[in-house]
Amino acid sequence: MTNTIRAEVVTIGDEILFGQITDTNTAWLGTELTNIGIRIVRKSSVGDQADAILQILHEAHQRADVIILTGGLGPTKDDITKKTLCTYFGVDLVRNETALALVTGFFEKRGREMTDLNRGQADLPANATYIQNDWGTAPGMWFEHDGCVYVSLPGVPFEMKHLMSNRILPKLREHFKTPIIKHKMIRTVGIGESFLAERIEAWEDALPEPIKLAYLPSFGGVKLRLTTTGDNDALLDQQLAEQVEKVLPLIEKNVYGYDDDELEVVVGRLLKDKQLTLGIAESCTGGYVSSQITKVPGSSAYFWGSIVSYSNAIKVNQLGVEPATLEQFGAVSEETIRQMAEGVRKALGTNVGIATSGIAGPDGGTPEKPVGTIWIACATDQRTVARLLRLGQYRDQNIQLTSTYVLNMLREELLN
Amino acid sequence: MTNTIRAEVVTIGDEILFGQITDTNTAWLGTELTNIGIRIVRKSSVGDQADAILQILHEAHQRADVIILTGGLGPTKDDITKKTLCTYFGVDLVRNETALALVTGFFEKRGREMTDLNRGQADLPANATYIQNDWGTAPGMWFEHDGCVYVSLPGVPFEMKHLMSNRILPKLREHFKTPIIKHKMIRTVGIGESFLAERIEAWEDALPEPIKLAYLPSFGGVKLRLTTTGDNDALLDQQLAEQVEKVLPLIEKNVYGYDDDELEVVVGRLLKDKQLTLGIAESCTGGYVSSQITKVPGSSAYFWGSIVSYSNAIKVNQLGVEPATLEQFGAVSEETIRQMAEGVRKALGTNVGIATSGIAGPDGGTPEKPVGTIWIACATDQRTVARLLRLGQYRDQNIQLTSTYVLNMLREELLN
């Protein structure tokens, strides 16, 4: 495309460079800008130093039509974005009365006293268009300079996201006339990246221009992302849908959803459609599976509750596992996991019960049951299925993978 | 410092630019490089396009002594890092027999068939020093070229981390003689950034060179990071400790830990020291508080289990909440939360019980109890305390903040 709008995202802050915080803003910005047909060509993080910020501004200006800056707008001394933008644009810092009224109102509403540092948040570079932040005291700012749009936003994720969604994205749409970029994501589970690639190679090689394919591996699954670009929204959707239809027969068993459909969303939808309720018994996952299920809004329609049974006493008293079973086979065994899944179903009175029990690590492994030995099970009114996972030595990874596998087991049982 | 070693981190992959995955690698790399005294000056992400990769390599070479590249080493067609490095260095791709043996062994051990795509993972640019990846089939690579070190690593987080920790960081330490950079982090909860800044202003203004302070706000807390640099490890530690000692009296009530001490780690340590056991009753947090507690290795020493009671039936049957209380005051009330905290303590037989119940959103709010109305409680053998939180409208944020507040309430009760 000749008239593609090119964007760069620049994150400002020592805390990101030094690794004290993980940057989640730019992933979100990437999705949102892509969705309105603006192509991100680079993302950068620089520290809270004026020369580093000036350098990236000059560089990005060579490559991009729009530059989104986040961070460095806090009230404290280490935040220097506004001063540096003044240097870059050759303007002064000027108090903005609209911004000041907002900051003052913010503090009055909360009955808190305002400091000089807070008042300083209403000072903006003279050439800034003030963009109101409804969720905090740091301002949003829009600049047009030398053929390029500059947007400066606070780094606090929910403030940044609200400013973007409600003020900046509509303004960008209005300012630029952009070609459309469309994505279609196919979500798979239970097949590795290279096996998936082999299986769909002929289809991939035959993809017509300008459709591109990317493999996005993550814990326990690989996402296939198809991308295309053009001017006709409906036609692009249709072209992507045709490709999905072609590839689906090759990988149908492994596909659990599309686009934003996380596994916990898909499982929730199945439970809701079938009017079934879910109870969970968690040992080694310690509440993680439940937190995945309940991060979905509206999950109370099908999720009733969980029993996290770290201690064996809870496995016996709350889940009804036989003490003799624990004695003979141990907590990490097929016998125990079956009783846990069936037990939670009975104890909580739900239609379906799922369960996890294993050695997440780093301690607790034995030669017979090393770290990563984990049982999962799913009990319905029809049957109980159990499966042994042999995972690795990392606690976080074991917990996340176990969650993916037990939710996928639940999905398969619901489809049976 | 004149001889500071400057590093740039470059992430390669359309999936990061387009926002399909959140980059957690570079935060980790930032911490690790900083810890061995290498200063990150910039992080960048570029797409899977040869010209974009070549451009950032040329730019980074001007600014940095070491360039760490991650990603683009997968077996599939969209991964072009190795080919592009060949273009950049002016060399050919050559099959590395050591790498091939490792890839072959990897597949044999798993009893899986190897494909041509997999074999291609053993092809390296001719000037690469091969760095063995024990956890996957993508190679690590080290290059020295025109006064600069280039390191290329797979983007899969656990493979990248292992290669860095075991092979690359020791090699970088050996290759460069670096000044030491030291950080000390003070973790606070329950005080906003600007109030904290006002309270410690005089101390901050008097900080001696080269000590720097940064404010790192996150959910429910602000971290203060002191940074210094020099040659004498013990002296730097002492200088930072002196500053901590000076500032502590100003903010003592709000400090819960230092450096990597997450709130759940601090709480776990207190429980362990006092030989107390914990049970959790979660309604609106849906398992999240338990998953925070159990992500700490060794948490089974003090955490016995949880009851996640999304349905009222579970509040009554498993936690012993009076039906009349639910009827009269509702699930989100001081009366119910007290019975939940006391009930879980009794049901699971633990010394301490904590509980959450509220309206996480986006649905379920009423004029009297809008979204964000959340009760928390902590019950010990001494007393039960309860507190009402008035949070915002975002589900994720409400769940995370509630977890922070209830864990901090537990911390305060344990210190009483």
Side-chain angles (χ1 to χ4, degrees):
Chain A
M1 307 297 297
T2 49
N3 60 347
T4 298
I5 306 304
R6 296 160 66 90
E8 292 212 18
V9 175
V10 178
T11 314
I12 297 170
D14 283 346
E15 67 276 21
I16 292 173
L17 279 190
F18 291 173
Q20 267 99 353
I21 62 170
T22 295
D23 166 32
T24 55
N25 281 347
T26 58
W28 187 87
L29 282 167
T31 309
E32 295 301 311
L33 290 170
T34 302
N35 283 345
I36 65 163
I38 292 180
R39 184 176 285 274
I40 323 283
V41 292
R42 189 171 309 178
K43 292 184 196 173
S44 311
S45 297
V46 295
D48 292 308
Q49 289 89 36
D51 55 349
I53 299 171
L54 289 172
Q55 194 188 20
I56 185 74
L57 285 171
H58 285 294
E59 286 174 21
H61 176 253
Q62 307 296 317
R63 289 183 297 249
D65 306 296
V66 52
I67 300 167
I68 313 268
L69 307 164
T70 68
L73 296 179
T76 49
K77 290 176 208 297
D78 55 331
D79 291 309
I80 61 162
T81 300
K82 287 192 299 191
K83 268 195 312 197
T84 309
L85 283 170
C86 284
T87 308
Y88 179 74
F89 293 126
V91 299
D92 289 325
L93 216 50
V94 176
R95 181 143 304 182
N96 181 298
E97 291 306 323
T98 318
L100 184 63
L102 191 101
V103 173
T104 310
F106 189 91
F107 278 83
E108 277 173 0
K109 221 164 78 184
R110 281 160 185 75
R112 284 170 16 188
E113 210 184 320
M114 190 159 60
T115 70
D116 270 348
L117 285 177
N118 298 126
R119 261 181 291 270
Q121 298 209 280
D123 296 339
L124 311 186
N127 64 332
T129 301
Y130 169 64
I131 310 284
Q132 186 177 316
N133 175 1
D134 299 329
W135 299 91
T137 54
M141 293 175 284
W142 172 287
F143 305 88
E144 295 176 24
H145 180 83
D146 199 11
C148 187
V149 170
Y150 299 77
V151 176
S152 170
L153 301 171
V156 179
F158 73 94
E159 295 182 26
M160 185 283 290
K161 288 178 188 173
H162 274 267
L163 270 161
M164 275 303 283
S165 299
N166 300 319
R167 307 258 147 83
I168 303 296
L169 289 172
K171 211 166 153 67
L172 287 171
R173 270 176 177 286
E174 194 186 297
H175 187 89
F176 296 107
K177 267 206 97 48
T178 58
I180 303 162
I181 301 180
K182 283 269 172 178
H183 296 297
K184 186 77 193 174
M185 187 96 83
I186 306 172
R187 294 170 165 264
T188 74
V189 63
I191 180 169
E193 183 180 3
S194 54
F195 290 88
L196 193 55
E198 292 275 314
R199 202 184 289 171
I200 65 177
E201 191 177 17
W203 168 80
E204 181 178 356
D205 287 340
L207 280 174
E209 283 287 338
I211 298 182
K212 282 185 68 183
L213 176 71
Y215 294 80
L216 311 176
S218 62
F219 276 120
V222 178
K223 289 173 270 185
L224 296 172
R225 190 197 60 224
L226 287 163
T227 306
T228 191
T229 180
D231 298 313
N232 184 329
D233 198 281
L235 186 66
L236 294 177
D237 279 342
Q238 189 197 315
Q239 286 165 348
L240 290 178
E242 278 166 16
Q243 293 306 325
V244 172
E245 208 171 304
K246 275 191 193 164
V247 76
L248 202 55
L250 305 172
I251 52 175
E252 193 140 33
K253 223 178 62 95
N254 301 102
V255 174
Y256 69 81
Y258 300 92
D259 300 325
D260 291 335
D261 281 351
E262 306 273 359
L263 191 49
E264 55 272 16
V265 173
V266 173
V267 163
R269 203 180 294 145
L270 282 171
L271 286 164
K272 208 170 166 181
D273 287 351
K274 292 174 182 284
Q275 296 187 288
L276 296 173
T277 57
L278 175 67
I280 308 179
E282 301 196 50
S283 186
C284 65
T285 48
Y288 185 82
V289 183
S290 306
S291 73
Q292 292 299 103
I293 287 285
T294 57
K295 79 179 184 196
V296 181
S299 44
S300 56
Y302 46 83
F303 174 70
W304 279 18
S306 301
I307 290 168
V308 179
S309 58
Y310 247 43
S311 79
N312 276 350
I314 297 178
K315 292 188 183 76
V316 172
N317 297 330
Q318 266 73 24
L319 292 172
V321 174
E322 294 286 339
T325 305
L326 287 172
E327 179 80 18
Q328 191 179 346
F329 303 101
V332 181
S333 65
E334 178 165 4
E335 291 76 8
T336 297
I337 200 72
R338 286 178 171 273
Q339 291 185 22
M340 285 175 66
E342 290 162 9
V344 75
R345 194 177 161 258
K346 201 167 150 192
L348 304 187
T350 55
N351 302 113
V352 185
I354 56 176
T356 66
S357 183
I359 300 144
D363 302 319
T366 63
E368 301 79 44
K369 294 179 184 176
V371 168
T373 305
I374 292 167
W375 279 95
I376 58 175
C378 177
T380 64
D381 62 350
Q382 302 292 315
R383 62 170 185 169
T384 301
V385 289
R387 189 180 152 200
L388 172 63
L389 307 176
R390 297 180 195 277
L391 304 179
Q393 59 183 105
Y394 300 105
R395 184 177 184 86
D396 286 3
Q397 221 172 296
N398 288 340
I399 291 172
Q400 288 172 47
L401 276 172
T402 302
S403 178
T404 299
Y405 287 125
V406 78
L407 291 179
N408 194 48
M409 175 184 257
L410 170 58
R411 184 183 71 90
E412 289 174 343
E413 284 302 289
L414 292 173
L415 289 174
N416 269 342
Chain B
M1 307 295 296
T2 48
N3 60 345
T4 298
I5 306 304
R6 298 160 67 90
E8 292 211 18
V9 175
V10 178
T11 314
I12 297 169
D14 283 345
E15 67 275 20
I16 292 174
L17 279 190
F18 291 172
Q20 267 100 350
I21 64 169
T22 295
D23 166 33
T24 55
N25 282 347
T26 58
W28 186 88
L29 282 166
T31 309
E32 295 301 310
L33 290 169
T34 302
N35 283 345
I36 65 164
I38 292 180
R39 184 176 284 274
I40 323 284
V41 292
R42 191 177 300 184
K43 292 184 197 172
S44 310
S45 296
V46 295
D48 293 308
Q49 290 88 37
D51 55 349
I53 299 171
L54 289 171
Q55 194 189 20
I56 185 74
L57 285 171
H58 285 293
E59 285 174 20
H61 176 252
Q62 307 295 318
R63 288 184 298 250
D65 306 296
V66 52
I67 301 168
I68 313 269
L69 308 164
T70 69
L73 296 179
T76 50
K77 289 176 209 295
D78 55 330
D79 291 309
I80 61 163
T81 300
K82 288 191 298 191
K83 267 195 312 194
T84 310
L85 284 170
C86 285
T87 308
Y88 179 74
F89 293 126
V91 300
D92 288 326
L93 217 50
V94 177
R95 180 143 304 184
N96 182 298
E97 292 306 324
T98 318
L100 184 63
L102 190 102
V103 173
T104 310
F106 188 92
F107 278 83
E108 275 172 2
K109 221 164 77 185
R110 281 159 185 76
R112 285 169 18 185
E113 211 184 320
M114 190 158 62
T115 69
D116 270 347
L117 285 176
N118 298 128
R119 260 183 290 272
Q121 298 209 281
D123 295 340
L124 311 185
N127 63 333
T129 301
Y130 170 65
I131 310 284
Q132 186 175 317
N133 175 2
D134 299 329
W135 299 90
T137 53
M141 293 176 283
W142 172 287
F143 306 88
E144 294 175 24
H145 179 80
D146 198 12
C148 187
V149 170
Y150 299 77
V151 176
S152 170
L153 301 171
V156 179
F158 74 95
E159 296 182 26
M160 185 282 291
K161 289 178 187 173
H162 274 267
L163 270 161
M164 274 303 284
S165 300
N166 301 318
R167 307 257 147 83
I168 303 297
L169 289 172
K171 210 165 154 66
L172 287 171
R173 271 175 176 286
E174 195 185 295
H175 187 88
F176 295 107
K177 267 205 97 50
T178 58
I180 302 162
I181 301 180
K182 282 268 173 179
H183 296 296
K184 186 77 194 175
M185 187 96 83
I186 307 172
R187 293 170 166 263
T188 74
V189 63
I191 181 169
E193 183 179 4
S194 53
F195 289 88
L196 193 56
E198 292 274 314
R199 203 184 287 173
I200 64 177
E201 191 176 17
W203 168 80
E204 181 178 356
D205 288 340
L207 281 174
E209 283 287 337
I211 298 182
K212 281 185 71 181
L213 177 71
Y215 295 80
L216 311 176
S218 62
F219 276 119
V222 178
K223 290 173 268 185
L224 296 172
R225 190 196 60 223
L226 287 163
T227 306
T228 191
T229 180
D231 298 315
N232 183 330
D233 197 281
L235 185 66
L236 293 176
D237 278 342
Q238 189 197 315
Q239 286 165 348
L240 290 178
E242 278 166 16
Q243 292 306 324
V244 171
E245 209 172 302
K246 274 190 193 164
V247 76
L248 201 57
L250 306 173
I251 51 174
E252 193 140 32
K253 222 176 62 95
N254 299 102
V255 174
Y256 68 82
Y258 299 92
D259 299 327
D260 292 335
D261 281 351
E262 305 273 358
L263 191 48
E264 55 272 15
V265 173
V266 172
V267 163
R269 203 180 293 143
L270 281 171
L271 286 165
K272 207 169 167 182
D273 287 350
K274 292 173 183 282
Q275 296 187 288
L276 295 173
T277 56
L278 175 67
I280 308 179
E282 301 196 50
S283 186
C284 65
T285 48
Y288 185 82
V289 182
S290 307
S291 73
Q292 293 298 103
I293 286 284
T294 57
K295 80 179 184 197
V296 181
S299 45
S300 57
Y302 46 84
F303 174 70
W304 278 17
S306 301
I307 289 167
V308 179
S309 57
Y310 245 44
S311 79
N312 276 349
I314 296 177
K315 292 188 182 77
V316 172
N317 297 330
Q318 267 73 24
L319 292 172
V321 174
E322 294 286 339
T325 305
L326 286 172
E327 178 81 17
Q328 192 180 344
F329 302 101
V332 180
S333 65
E334 178 164 5
E335 291 76 9
T336 297
I337 200 72
R338 286 179 171 273
Q339 291 185 20
M340 285 174 67
E342 290 162 9
V344 75
R345 194 176 161 256
K346 201 167 150 192
L348 304 187
T350 55
N351 303 113
V352 184
I354 56 175
T356 66
S357 182
I359 299 142
D363 303 318
T366 64
E368 300 79 44
K369 294 179 184 175
V371 168
T373 305
I374 292 167
W375 279 94
I376 58 175
C378 177
T380 64
D381 62 350
Q382 302 293 314
R383 64 170 184 169
T384 300
V385 288
R387 189 180 152 201
L388 172 63
L389 308 175
R390 296 180 195 277
L391 304 179
Q393 59 183 104
Y394 300 106
R395 184 177 183 86
D396 286 3
Q397 223 173 294
N398 287 340
I399 291 172
Q400 289 173 46
L401 276 171
T402 302
S403 177
T404 299
Y405 287 126
V406 78
L407 290 179
N408 194 47
M409 176 184 255
L410 170 59
R411 184 183 71 90
E412 289 175 343
E413 285 302 291
L414 292 172
L415 289 175
N416 268 343

